[in-house]
Amino acid sequence: MEKTKTEMLKMLDVMLDEGRPYHERLAAYEFLQEDCEEIIDEMLSKLYTLEGDSGKMLMEVLAGYPGNKAIFMGLVSYLYKGEDVALFAHLIGSYGDEQGVEVLKAFLKEYEPNYNEYMEIRNAIEELGGDCDLDEDFSDDPLYRYLKGLDEEDEDTRHSPFEGMWKEEDDECEDDCDDDCHCHDDECDDEDCHCHDDNCGHRCGDHHDED
């Protein structure tokens, strides 16, 4: 069913109305992401008066309509606000304007990104056909260290996650055992002992001499 301009403008108002339930705003956001080129000018006019989450939401919608320099400049503006660098670097990359390569490279030189932001910027540059030749040291970045396994314990200090459970079972067994039980004696040589017999029907601690 073809969307009418009246429906588009109504959905635009719903999406930007912060007093409405989020699920209604989200439905309007999804509605506006396709086949709403007819109200791009109206969306842009709203964008200039918005801030915060509503502005970001509208900018994300506009990012789905390539070929408009005003939209591209809006993406760049939001990138430089620094509120969600990773998101807007990604959107610039997917928008497809080749000028984005120089914009993103210049931004990298002026801004100190964290590892996640750097990766999104680098991916965006490469998506636009450029090369990212800027080396950054992320050895202190928590995400970088986690992904590279730099904060893992040494193998000698690692413990099995089941170790505590096994120890608990052993302790319980030892508490129930009789003094004469050799269940835990690795050198048990009693031929009649069934301690290590998988088919032993006795519970540890209940061994007794059969009459």
Side-chain angles (χ1 to χ4, degrees), residues 74-89:
L75 292 170
V76 173
S77 175
Y78 267 83
L79 175 73
Y80 271 88
K81 285 182 180 182
E83 296 174 357
D84 198 333
V85 170
L87 170 64
F88 287 100

Side-chain angles (χ1 to χ4, degrees), residues 48-79:
Y48 301 137
T49 64
L50 293 173
E51 294 181 354
D53 290 339
S54 292
K56 287 169 61 176
M57 186 177 281
L58 181 54
M59 196 70 253
E60 285 185 66
V61 168
L62 286 166
Y65 297 96
N68 187 305
K69 282 295 181 184
I71 294 175
F72 173 72
M73 293 309 299
L75 292 170
V76 173
S77 175
Y78 267 83
L79 175 73

Side-chain angles (χ1 to χ4, degrees), residues 24-43:
E24 292 183 10
R25 299 181 68 199
L26 182 61
Y29 166 87
E30 293 172 349
F31 177 92
L32 293 167
Q33 284 185 313
E34 293 182 354
D35 305 321
C36 290
E37 291 88 352
E38 191 173 353
I39 64 165
I40 283 179
D41 289 340
E42 286 83 354
M43 286 194 279

Side-chain angles (χ1 to χ4, degrees), residues 124 146 154 180:
Y146 171 76
D154 295 335
D180 296 332

Side-chain angles (χ1 to χ4, degrees), residues 112-185:
E112 293 183 4
N114 60 38
Y115 183 66
N116 180 54
E117 292 169 341
Y118 172 78
M119 290 302 297
E120 287 293 349
I121 293 170
R122 191 185 76 175
N123 290 341
I125 289 173
E126 293 176 352
E127 185 175 1
L128 293 169
D131 295 316
C132 186
D133 53 5
L134 183 64
D135 292 326
E136 295 281 347
D137 180 12
F138 294 105
S139 57
D140 293 329
D141 185 276
L143 177 61
Y144 176 84
R145 297 185 66 84
Y146 171 76
L147 293 175
K148 300 297 183 182
L150 299 179
D151 291 328
E152 291 184 6
E153 296 178 338
D154 295 335
E155 289 187 7
D156 293 340
T157 63
R158 291 178 183 169
H159 300 284
S160 166
F162 304 106
E163 183 174 320
M165 181 177 69
W166 288 334
K167 185 177 186 305
E168 201 172 290
E169 289 179 354
D170 287 343
D171 290 344
E172 182 180 346
C173 182
E174 288 171 2
D175 289 341
D176 291 339
C177 274
D178 296 331
D179 291 339
D180 296 332
C181 176
H182 301 286
C183 296
H184 309 290
D185 187 352

